Amino acid sequence: MRNDQHMMNHPAPRLRARLCIATFDFAACALVATLLSFAFTQPAWAYVDPSVMTYTIQALAGVAVALSAVAGVAMRRTRKALFKALNIDVNRNKEVEADVCRIDPDTGRPVKGGAVGATAQMPRKAPGKARDRGYAPGWKVRIPLALATSTFFVFTLFVVAPYEIVAASAGSVFFSLNDVWQPIAMVAAAMVAVLALLLSLLRGRAFNLALLLVFGIGLGCYAQALFLNGGLPPSDGHSITWNDYRRPMVVSGIVWLILIIGPLQLSKVNRQRTQLGAAALSLALVIVQGVGVGSLFANAATAGTSGDKAVVTEQGLYDVSSKKNVVVFVLDTYDTQFLQSTLQAAPDLLDDFKGFTWYRDSLGSMIPTRYGLSFLLHGQYPQPDEDFGTYLNQRYKRAHFLQDVQNLNFSTGIYTDTLGTQFLSDEEANNLVNSKTINVHPASNTITSWNSTLKALAKCAFYRDMPWMLKPFFWFYTDEINQATNADNPDIDPANKPYIMNDAGYYNSLKQRGLTIQENDEQYDGAFRFIHMTGTHWPYNLDENGNDIGLHNANLTQQARGCMKPVQHYINQLKEMGVYDNTTIIITADHGDWYLTENPLEKVTVPYMLVKPAQSAELDSQPYKVSQAPVAAEDVLPTCIKYMGGDYSTYPGYSMDEIPEGLQRPRFFNMTLDRDAKDYKIIQYEVNGDSLDFANWKLTGVSWDVGEGSKAKGDHD
């Protein structure tokens, strides 16, 4: 030992030892930094749902943090072993105080066994509960503990959830992450401050109970979103049979109980360590989730400001041409069977629809709305040998309808939340669609009501993060979010106001504003308006007079009658303006009645079709008539082009007024199969004969597999 110590006192061995330790420290830091770097890597994955992508990033970040902690402990122990192997005594040059001993007052000598140093006189601690039962941290400890757990709870539920929901709904809401992140963050910061203050005011057992409850609920929200939301019903407006989800309700309920009760039980063993552990884990999960949130802002497609993106505005919604008009109303989900049953309850429903023809034998193109609605603007079916993703990218590129309308010098206004241009690049979408319209462009008033917007996003967050048994109380409909963001304000320029699908609101605006002749009317030969409305899409909220009586408060008959009121008022306005006779009106639906299923159809789904061509005043004064001519969705575009005065011979369909009754015409319909709330296959039907007779529907054997990137998140249906 004396020789070893002598060698270590020489400069050369001492330098080598220091170099060895420095090399080890550098290698250890590099390893930990490498592991941590995975937590902040931005994967360049394409066509990945942002909410799912952040979960993956969070998982990587969590693993990286855990590995870094393990590596840190291992490196520390290895460093101690290396010191020992090199005979380095880290305490060699430190001054150490001698032990303090009791002195016998009689002899003046230390009492044997009378050491009172830290190790000798350490009082014995009672084991288990007795040792920790009286632990009551002071306010200097309570505040950081409360702040850590409060931050975790609020950040998980009120920041991460709405951020990811908004990012994932970039194709269907009229605002972006950069539009809402600051108000959400400000409200969340205030919530953290208030909650932390309230927690820190408590003491002893009350503080322990409240602290761990907040931590447990936050942990439950985190686990629910990350692991327990498989098969979560989409917010597409369809009625949900919650009894079908009993198993996930039970499973999530058990997990939540464990996550909430577990920390409370651990605190009975050691309250101090449990509180410190909860705070440490809270901060770690905030970091992990923060990495996921950061990835959302790194994605320009989801984090860009609405001012940079094209938005479907209301510009031209209340305008028509004095020369020639073609107006297409698309009332979502309005089935021919609905119209039949509604006419039985209200025979006067179509009394104001003079000059119309009701084509009873009609057929749609595709279901659901994300496919059927845009078809009415491009008219393209997927090809039998075509990948479905390719079809979604190519359908507008193969189409020429909007270009034809522009060439005919008609102003074009398209009003819908489901254009389907998200599968195109921004440049392609602008060239093929946006630039052909007067109303699809950036807007400045995407949010006019912050109070209701934040409430709507909080409801979405609760729906996502709460246990299954509580989800029915927070179920929301996509249109609720859009409607909540915009308060009806006539002072806002329509060119800067997004079009929101709200039939009652549209009806009220029509009555207040009325229709007018379009601006720069002399520059155009006519006007084309394509107006997508909620129609009979569930949930129902309209009474028979078109008034909003609240979601779930109306029945189908009321909704079917109420959603026709704005169309009826529009028609009456055209008559008052004297332009009804030179206006072609098509009233149809993107699809008929349908349901989520992973099996082929069991009944017909037939969108209704009402058409009035531009014609003489005499014909326009006659009551509507019924035709059995076999029409289809593909006939909408050639009918529009014909009455704009263009050549419609290149279109696959017919002008509907030229189709004779009794025509033997094979028509095709594509149905989407759904599994676990995701599209997975499109199957094709051929319909020969009356579309209302399901015996005439036959599968052709042609189908397309649907990939993960094909569904626009948040789109209608």
Side-chain angles (χ1 to χ4, degrees):
M1 179 68 186
R2 197 174 286 176
N3 290 334
D4 291 340
Q5 187 68 38
H6 178 73
M7 291 178 63
M8 288 303 298
N9 289 331
H10 284 282
R14 191 163 59 245
L15 178 61
R16 287 195 295 269
R18 289 179 177 177
L19 288 175
C20 183
I21 295 300
T23 302
F24 175 82
D25 289 344
F26 176 80
C29 292
L31 176 60
V32 172
T34 301
L35 292 172
L36 281 173
S37 68
F38 287 105
F40 301 95
T41 299
Q42 302 297 334
W45 297 324
Y47 308 112
V48 178
D49 183 296
S51 62
V52 175
M53 186 173 69
T54 60
Y55 297 156
T56 307
I57 293 174
Q58 288 178 35
L60 289 173
V63 171
V65 171
L67 289 177
S68 299
V70 172
V73 174
M75 293 302 171
R76 183 180 178 185
R77 293 183 178 180
T78 304
R79 195 171 190 268
K80 287 183 177 180
L82 188 61
F83 272 42
K84 184 176 181 181
L86 295 173
N87 293 315
I88 298 176
D89 184 4
V90 295
N91 295 317
R92 183 174 60 247
N93 296 322
K94 294 181 180 179
E95 294 183 3
V96 180
E97 294 183 1
D99 288 340
V100 178
C101 298
R102 289 203 306 270
I103 302 298
D104 189 329
D106 297 329
T107 63
R109 297 178 178 178
V111 178
K112 185 178 181 180
V116 294
T119 57
Q121 295 299 317
M122 184 72 70
R124 295 187 55 142
K125 296 182 180 179
K129 298 179 181 178
R131 181 178 59 191
D132 192 61
R133 182 179 299 169
Y135 175 70
W139 66 270
K140 290 184 179 180
V141 176
R142 294 199 305 271
I143 288 179
L145 291 176
L147 191 60
T149 53
S150 298
T151 301
F152 170 54
F153 167 70
V154 174
F155 186 69
T156 300
L157 181 58
F158 296 106
V159 176
V160 177
Y163 279 8
E164 290 184 343
I165 289 170
V166 171
S169 303
S172 59
V173 295
F174 296 105
F175 51 88
S176 68
L177 190 57
N178 272 342
D179 293 320
V180 299
W181 80 266
Q182 287 181 316
I184 292 175
M186 292 173 62
V187 172
M191 293 175 66
V192 168
V194 172
L195 182 58
L197 177 62
L198 292 176
L199 289 177
S200 60
L201 291 176
L202 302 175
R203 301 180 64 183
R205 295 178 61 183
F207 172 75
N208 182 71
L209 175 63
L211 182 81
L212 297 182
L213 278 178
V214 170
F215 170 71
I217 295 173
L219 201 58
C221 293
Y222 180 76
Q224 182 70 44
L226 199 59
F227 305 112
L228 303 175
N229 273 343
L232 184 65
S235 57
D236 59 12
H238 274 80
S239 178
I240 298 174
T241 305
W242 291 104
N243 287 334
D244 295 341
Y245 298 92
R246 291 179 181 176
R247 181 175 180 181
M249 285 184 179
V250 172
V251 172
S252 70
I254 293 174
V255 172
W256 272 76
L257 285 175
I258 292 173
L259 294 177
I260 292 177
I261 296 177
L264 293 173
Q265 293 300 314
L266 288 175
S267 69
K268 294 181 179 179
V269 177
N270 192 308
R271 186 183 297 175
Q272 181 180 16
R273 291 183 179 179
T274 302
Q275 292 179 6
L276 292 174
L281 184 56
S282 294
L283 294 177
L285 291 179
V286 167
I287 294 173
V288 169
Q289 293 182 94
V291 173
V293 167
S295 72
L296 297 177
F297 288 93
N299 185 349
T302 60
T305 62
S306 59
D308 301 329
K309 296 183 178 182
V311 176
V312 178
T313 71
E314 290 188 354
Q315 185 173 358
L317 179 60
Y318 305 97
D319 298 343
V320 293
S321 170
S322 63
K323 304 169 187 175
K324 189 182 294 186
N325 298 287
V326 175
V327 182
V328 178
F329 287 99
V330 183
L331 276 65
D332 210 296
T333 320
Y334 212 132
D335 198 291
T336 295
Q337 300 162 102
F338 293 169
L339 182 57
Q340 289 176 323
S341 61
T342 305
L343 280 170
Q344 293 178 358
D348 61 342
L349 178 66
L350 300 179
D351 283 357
D352 284 346
F353 292 74
K354 305 289 187 180
F356 275 85
T357 298
W358 172 21
Y359 291 95
R360 183 179 169 276
D361 182 10
S362 65
L363 187 69
S365 60
M366 302 179 71
I367 54 173
T369 301
R370 54 185 165 271
Y371 307 135
L373 190 282
S374 64
F375 181 90
L376 296 172
L377 290 168
H378 57 69
Q380 300 295 311
Y381 288 107
Q383 301 301 312
D385 58 349
E386 182 177 41
D387 177 79
F388 196 72
T390 301
Y391 161 72
L392 294 175
N393 176 261
Q394 294 294 319
R395 51 188 176 171
Y396 274 113
K397 297 177 183 178
R398 295 200 291 252
H400 52 86
F401 173 71
L402 294 177
Q403 183 62 58
D404 288 348
V405 175
Q406 188 177 58
N407 292 341
L408 291 168
N409 198 31
F410 272 61
S411 66
T412 298
I414 299 175
Y415 309 94
T416 178
D417 65 352
T418 320
L419 266 178
T421 56
Q422 70 274 10
F423 303 104
L424 301 170
S425 67
D426 289 343
E427 182 179 359
E428 290 171 336
N430 183 66
N431 292 336
L432 296 171
V433 180
N434 303 346
S435 63
K436 304 294 188 293
T437 73
I438 62 172
N439 70 303
V440 184
H441 50 68
S444 59
N445 290 97
T446 53
I447 297 178
T448 60
S449 176
W450 279 109
N451 187 38
S452 58
T453 298
L454 294 176
K455 287 181 180 179
L457 291 177
K459 185 178 181 181
C460 297
F462 277 110
Y463 177 71
R464 192 190 80 157
D465 285 4
M466 286 293 103
W468 275 88
M469 63 184 65
L470 296 181
K471 290 186 185 297
F473 299 101
F474 302 107
W475 183 91
F476 66 96
Y477 179 30
T478 305
D479 282 352
E480 284 185 73
I481 304 175
N482 283 327
Q483 292 173 10
T485 60
N486 278 268
D488 188 22
N489 186 348
D491 295 331
I492 297 177
D493 183 357
N496 282 317
K497 184 177 181 182
Y499 173 72
I500 307 296
M501 288 178 59
N502 182 347
D503 292 2
Y506 178 49
Y507 185 29
N508 290 332
S509 295
L510 268 177
K511 290 186 291 186
Q512 293 174 5
R513 303 181 185 186
L515 295 177
T516 59
I517 299 300
Q518 66 181 345
E519 188 177 357
N520 301 323
D521 186 50
E522 68 282 353
Q523 297 180 9
Y524 297 102
D525 293 329
F528 171 62
R529 299 292 182 264
F530 183 94
I531 304 172
H532 182 195
M533 297 168 54
T534 305
T536 58
H537 197 296
W538 197 91
Y540 307 140
N541 69 310
L542 299 178
D543 65 12
E544 58 276 8
N545 296 314
N547 299 313
D548 187 352
I549 57 176
L551 291 177
H552 312 285
N553 292 330
N555 56 42
L556 174 58
T557 300
Q558 288 177 302
Q559 186 79 16
R561 295 176 63 185
C563 69
M564 291 290 280
K565 287 295 183 179
V567 180
Q568 179 183 359
H569 191 78
Y570 195 102
I571 289 172
N572 291 333
Q573 287 271 298
L574 292 174
K575 294 176 181 177
E576 293 176 7
M577 296 173 67
V579 296
Y580 186 66
D581 297 340
N582 60 0
T583 299
T584 298
I585 304 174
I586 299 175
I587 308 170
T588 186
D590 49 347
H591 57 76
D593 187 25
W594 72 291
Y595 47 94
L596 290 171
T597 178
E598 58 181 294
N599 301 308
L601 288 170
E602 296 179 354
K603 64 177 184 178
V604 303
T605 171
V606 183
Y608 78 159
M609 186 76 73
L610 294 164
V611 180
K612 186 206 81 70
Q615 57 193 1
S616 67
E618 180 182 358
L619 292 175
D620 274 344
S621 64
Q622 296 179 4
Y624 78 92
K625 59 184 179 180
V626 180
S627 172
Q628 284 298 124
V631 302
E634 65 186 31
D635 302 325
V636 170
L637 301 189
T639 302
C640 291
I641 293 296
K642 174 183 177 179
Y643 285 96
M644 291 179 190
D647 178 11
Y648 56 99
S649 62
T650 58
Y651 288 81
Y654 304 87
S655 178
M656 282 179 272
D657 57 350
E658 298 177 0
I659 302 174
E661 294 188 6
L663 176 68
Q664 295 300 310
R665 178 192 183 190
R667 291 167 289 171
F668 295 91
F669 175 80
N670 295 321
M671 178 210 174
T672 301
L673 300 182
D674 184 276
R675 180 180 293 158
D676 295 330
K678 294 181 180 179
D679 304 345
Y680 78 93
K681 187 182 287 291
I682 310 291
I683 57 177
Q684 185 187 71
Y685 285 88
E686 181 178 337
V687 180
N688 282 289
D690 188 354
S691 60
L692 290 173
D693 185 353
F694 193 57
N696 296 325
W697 292 59
K698 305 296 181 183
L699 284 169
T700 65
V702 177
S703 65
W704 298 267
D705 292 329
V706 181
E708 285 292 329
S710 64
K711 180 175 179 180
K713 304 304 177 188
D715 271 359
H716 241 90
D717 296 342

